[in-house]
Amino acid sequence: MNALVNGAAAQRCADWPALAGAVRGCIACPELAATRRTVVAGTAPAGAALLLIGEAPGAAEDASGVPFVGRSGALLDRLLAEVGLDRAAVAVANVVKCRPPGNRRPTPAEVQRCRPWLTRQLELVEPVLTVLLGGTALSWVFGRPAQVGRMRGRPHVVDGRRYLASYHPSAAIRFGPNGAPLASLRSDLALAAQLLTALSS
Ligand code: URA
Ligand code: SF4
């Protein structure tokens, strides 16, 4: 199966549950399909105004089938709560839906093969705002390598959709409690909350 086949399959999905069912059967990436325990399709509460996009499932997500439930997810939940955003009302997806072995970065080929699923997820949610967590998600939207440090802190509109870029929670953990990525992620999520309030009033 290639990206074209995925694209047709993804476009046929009329809603998020249908897409989640279809993506669970995807075997387009032979290595990932052979090593994964679950396919982490993502979560989308009805009427979600905010979509978060990460990179790929880690071990905890692969085990549970739910995005951002490991250490990165715990930090994310805490920061969302701090800025008054309820994780249960937020849609969450990843650039690739299957865990790369050993938590390596997804390859460009894997990102390309998985692209139609996330493209369709964006169409199905039509969020008011999307926050891109880390360089993989940022580059996915811009279609070229892009640096979080240069793009964060202000909204971008791509193909008519509004985005904010920030660091991945794993970077915030790696650089520690006094590191710049945590402070940036916190302020970017606060900005997301402000924008959502402004845009829905
Ligand atoms: N990191 C991600 O990018 N996504 C997850 O779902 C978990 C960790
Ligand atoms: Fe399919 Fe995406 Fe998983 Fe690759 S990463 S097998 S394209 S669902």
Side-chain angles (χ1 to χ4, degrees), residues 44-171:
L50 177 63
L51 170 66
L52 304 177
I53 304 181
E55 179 178 279
E61 292 78 22
D62 181 53
S64 65
V66 182
F68 282 108
V69 292
R71 278 186 78 201
S72 288
L75 174 60
L76 192 59
D77 289 357
R78 182 159 67 78
L79 294 177
L80 287 171
E82 268 181 32
V83 302
L85 293 169
D86 177 10
R87 161 84 189 251
V90 172
V92 184
N94 283 305
V95 169
V96 301
K97 317 302 187 200
C98 305
R99 182 192 183 209
N103 294 343
R104 64 164 171 75
R105 305 294 284 275
T107 66
E110 288 161 357
V111 169
Q112 191 195 342
R113 285 191 289 259
C114 213
R115 187 167 195 97
W117 298 122
L118 182 55
T119 298
R120 186 67 182 145
Q121 287 178 316
L122 267 167
E123 293 170 359
L124 291 172
V125 176
E126 274 311 346
V128 174
L129 177 67
T130 298
V131 176
L132 306 166
L133 299 170
T136 300
L138 176 62
S139 303
W140 188 93
V141 165
F142 280 85
R144 57 181 164 77
Q147 286 181 14
V148 172
R150 295 197 180 160
M151 304 294 280
R152 59 162 294 275
R154 63 190 192 280
H156 302 274
V157 176
V158 181
D159 293 336
R161 294 194 179 94
R162 201 175 276 101
Y163 296 94
L164 284 178
S166 195
Y167 291 99
H168 194 284
S170 66

Side-chain angles (χ1 to χ4, degrees), residues 1 6 23-24 26-30 32-33 36 39 95-98 110 113-115 117:
M1 192 151 62
N6 268 357
V23 73
R24 274 183 209 113
C26 181
I27 52 167
C29 306
L32 304 196
R36 72 191 181 204
V39 176
V95 169
V96 301
K97 317 302 187 200
C98 305
E110 288 161 357
R113 285 191 289 259
C114 213
R115 187 167 195 97
W117 298 122

